[in-house]
Amino acid sequence: MNTLLRAGFFYFVIVFVIGFVLGAIRVLVLVPRIGELLAVLIELPLMLTASWIVCKSLIARFQVAHEVFDRIVMGATALAFLLVAETVLSTCVFGNPIEATFNNYLAPHGFIGLCGQLAFAAIPLLQLLKR
């Protein structure tokens, strides 16, 4: 179980760093030019592609078993860390009220982002099913 939690944690860390960089580009460059929704729609395939590659590498590195439970634990661990990190970043660093942070998921761009996060969590399992 410890290996699964570590794999999920590193999956979160690496993808979070990539997402932070892409998110900065999205907010600073794309959003002012094309709006929030289109910017998210451009960023999402890049994030999911990066997530797929990172996940595949970490599954090999940590030798995550070819079992549904193991893949679900890895993805759920990564998602839990991601949601906590995004909430802390939004509220503590950017000063957004916690209600606004969660209400963001109700906007079209926020909902698409949330769906992307769920897909991110499902990637370890999807890679198993793809075999």
Side-chain angles (χ1 to χ4, degrees):
M1 180 66 90
N2 190 27
T3 299
L4 301 176
L5 298 177
R6 285 191 353 221
F9 175 74
F10 282 103
Y11 179 41
F12 147 72
V13 168
I14 295 168
V15 173
F16 186 78
V17 169
I18 294 167
F20 193 84
V21 172
L22 288 177
I25 294 168
R26 174 179 46 86
V27 170
L28 297 173
V29 177
L30 293 177
V31 171
R33 289 172 173 78
I34 61 173
E36 192 79 51
L37 182 59
L38 284 176
V40 168
L41 289 172
I42 290 170
E43 179 189 21
L44 186 59
L46 299 173
M47 283 302 306
L48 292 177
T49 300
S51 298
W52 187 272
I53 294 166
V54 168
C55 183
K56 188 173 184 176
S57 170
L58 290 172
I59 285 172
R61 165 94 167 81
F62 286 96
Q63 299 178 346
V64 177
H66 300 294
E67 301 291 333
V68 170
F69 176 79
D70 292 3
R71 301 303 178 91
I72 290 172
V73 169
M74 181 182 173
T77 300
L79 180 63
F81 277 115
L82 178 63
L83 293 175
V84 169
E86 284 198 345
T87 302
V88 168
L89 192 64
S90 176
T91 56
C92 296
V93 176
F94 296 119
N96 296 320
I98 195 148
E99 300 83 21
T101 301
F102 291 116
N103 284 338
N104 182 54
Y105 292 124
L106 301 176
H109 68 275
F111 181 73
I112 290 169
L114 178 61
C115 290
Q117 291 171 334
L118 294 174
F120 156 79
I123 286 175
L125 180 60
L126 293 173
Q127 289 183 347
L128 174 66
L129 299 176
K130 185 179 177 284
R131 292 184 71 224

